[in-house]
């Protein structure tokens, strides 16, 4: 999720666990701790384009990191003026929750999160909420804000608005999972009515409110992409794109493996001006893009320029719609 949402969730966790102890400072600390996993983006300038694929939402977004960092941060807080009078166990729980809810929330989005590193690099993604969704964020901000500004820290009612905000945002996340299943059924019905067989399907929300969705159906040779609006309840029109795996034959094995891993199987390959473009639908779904007679399944792509002796140049690009 976006940094504002992660900070808002961390602030709500801080208020819930530390608010009765240190007042509004708990929300401040919570917002800071909850954004720490995303500092992995500061490392990306030191890595190649291919390596960057695995860096973001990597080790800093693993359960092991949450456990180790919570232990270290809690110890550090026992030495800080604001928090040194709080029991270590409570400080550890606060830090773990602030960090773990960050990576868990990221797993609800389409990019995926490597929760199990260093034991496995499987990218967990529920694909049920957009990276920016105010419907989830606003209840957190309002709930934590009301608790902080309406009640002193000694008041037994202080935590109530914050708890309501957390409850609403959590229920919304659960709703997105149920809504995703509903949308998948709609895509499946549309595919069946058009006699389009498939063996694998991806559905991803776009924009806010969980109202607009893209669906990607995969068969042995093609991806079929369509959009659906819960408000419009439109019939889904599918655009078909060949996967073109043969264009990857002969390229660097590690390169091909990482690009396929990143896409979780939802990709297409195209050749354009002697270069190979790989479009990743699992991490980027902005709708079909056209440029003259050239049609792409989404905007973002990796572009591979083969060189001599099996070497290559890897770049990123964005397909602009006409």
């Amino acid at each position: 999720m976006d940094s504002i949402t992660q900070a808002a969730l961390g602030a709500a966790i801080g208020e819930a666990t530390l608010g009765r102890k240190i007042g509004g400072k708990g929300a401040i600390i919570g917002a800071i701790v909850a954004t720490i996993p995303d500092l992995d983006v500061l490392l990306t300038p030191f890595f190649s384009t291919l390596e960057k694929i695995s860096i973001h939402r990597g080790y800093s977004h693993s359960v092991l990191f949450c456990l180790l960092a919570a232990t270290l941060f809690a110890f550090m807080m026992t030495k800080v003026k604001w928090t040194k009078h709080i029991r270590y166990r409570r400080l550890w729980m606060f830090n773990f929750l602030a960090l773990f809810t960050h990576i868990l929330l990221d797993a609800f989005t389409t990019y995926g999160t490597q929760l199990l590193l260093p034991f496995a690099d499987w990218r967990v993604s529920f694909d049920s909420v957009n990276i920016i969704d105010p419907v989830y964020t606003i209840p957190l901000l309002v709930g934590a804000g009301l608790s902080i500004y309406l009640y002193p820290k000694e008041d037994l009612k202080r935590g109530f608005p914050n708890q309501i905000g957390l409850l609403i945002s959590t229920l919304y996340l659960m709703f997105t999972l149920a809504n995703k299943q509903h949308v998948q059924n709609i895509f499946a019905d549309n595919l069946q009515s058009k006699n389009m067989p498939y063996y694998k399907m991806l559905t991803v929300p776009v924009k806010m409110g969980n109202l607009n969705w893209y669906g990607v159906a995969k068969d042995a040779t093609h991806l079929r992409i369509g959009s659906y609006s819960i408000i419009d309840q439109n019939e889904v029109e599918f655009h078909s794109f060949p996967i073109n795996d043969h264009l990857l034959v002969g390229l660097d094995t590690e390169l091909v493996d990482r690009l396929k891993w990143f896409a979780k199987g939802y990709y297409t390959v195209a050749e354009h001006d002697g270069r190979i473009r790989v479009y990743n639908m699992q991490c980027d779904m902005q709708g079909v893009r056209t440029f003259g007679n050239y049609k792409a399944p989404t905007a973002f792509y990796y572009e591979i320029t083969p060189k001599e002796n099996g070497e290559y140049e890897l770049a990123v690009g964005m397909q602009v719609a006409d």
Side-chain angles (χ1 to χ4, degrees), residues 103-231:
I103 66 173
L104 185 61
L105 182 58
D106 275 347
F108 277 82
T109 68
T110 59
Y111 194 95
T113 307
Q114 298 174 72
L115 296 177
L116 303 180
L117 283 176
F119 309 106
D121 65 357
W122 177 48
R123 289 172 45 249
V124 181
S125 58
F126 304 134
D127 309 317
S128 70
V129 68
N130 195 28
I131 291 177
I132 300 176
D133 194 338
V135 178
Y136 176 81
T137 309
I138 290 175
L140 295 172
L141 292 172
V142 173
L146 289 177
S147 284
I148 293 169
Y149 291 108
L150 291 182
Y151 302 99
K153 66 179 182 180
E154 299 84 7
D155 197 316
L156 294 177
K157 299 188 294 294
R158 177 186 174 97
F160 183 69
N162 186 56
Q163 293 167 3
I164 294 298
L166 281 167
L167 177 62
I168 293 173
S169 64
T170 302
L171 289 175
Y172 176 67
L173 276 188
M174 298 303 101
F175 159 76
T176 66
L177 293 175
N179 193 41
K180 177 183 175 68
Q181 185 59 57
H182 168 67
V183 169
Q184 285 194 172
N185 292 337
I186 291 173
F187 276 104
D189 290 343
N190 276 263
L191 286 162
Q192 183 177 12
S193 68
K194 293 175 171 59
N195 194 27
M196 294 180 175
Y198 68 97
Y199 71 88
K200 192 176 182 182
M201 183 193 296
L202 170 70
T203 52
V204 297
V206 292
K207 302 179 182 179
M208 66 178 185
N210 227 233
L211 299 175
N212 298 288
W213 291 74
Y214 277 103
V216 183
K218 181 178 182 178
D219 63 23
T221 59
H222 287 74
L223 294 186
R224 293 184 171 90
I225 301 170
S227 61
Y228 179 74
S229 167
I230 289 178
I231 294 177

Side-chain angles (χ1 to χ4, degrees), residues 297-310:
T298 189
F300 177 82
Y301 58 82
Y302 285 94
E303 188 168 75
I304 306 165
T305 304
K307 302 290 185 180
E308 296 180 355
N309 302 322

Side-chain angles (χ1 to χ4, degrees), residues 34-59:
T35 58
I36 287 175
D38 280 342
L39 294 180
D40 58 1
V41 298
L42 300 178
L43 301 176
T44 55
F46 302 100
F47 293 90
S48 69
T49 301
L50 182 61
E51 291 170 332
K52 289 176 184 178
I53 291 176
S54 305
I55 295 301
H56 185 44
R57 296 195 185 179
Y59 284 98

Side-chain angles (χ1 to χ4, degrees), residues 216 223 225 241-244 247-248 259-260 262-272 275-285 287-291 294-304 317-320:
V216 183
L223 294 186
I225 301 170
F241 293 87
I243 297 173
N244 287 333
L247 293 175
L248 298 176
L259 291 177
K260 288 184 176 182
F262 194 36
K264 297 180 73 173
Y266 293 101
Y267 63 91
T268 66
V269 189
E271 187 173 8
H272 184 68
R275 300 179 178 91
I276 305 299
R277 288 183 177 179
V278 179
Y279 295 90
N280 182 335
M281 265 60 69
Q282 206 281 328
C283 297
D284 176 76
M285 179 50 70
V288 175
R289 294 290 193 268
T290 59
F291 186 77
Y294 185 81
K295 185 169 74 169
T298 189
F300 177 82
Y301 58 82
Y302 285 94
E303 188 168 75
I304 306 165
M318 187 73 71
Q319 183 72 44
V320 181

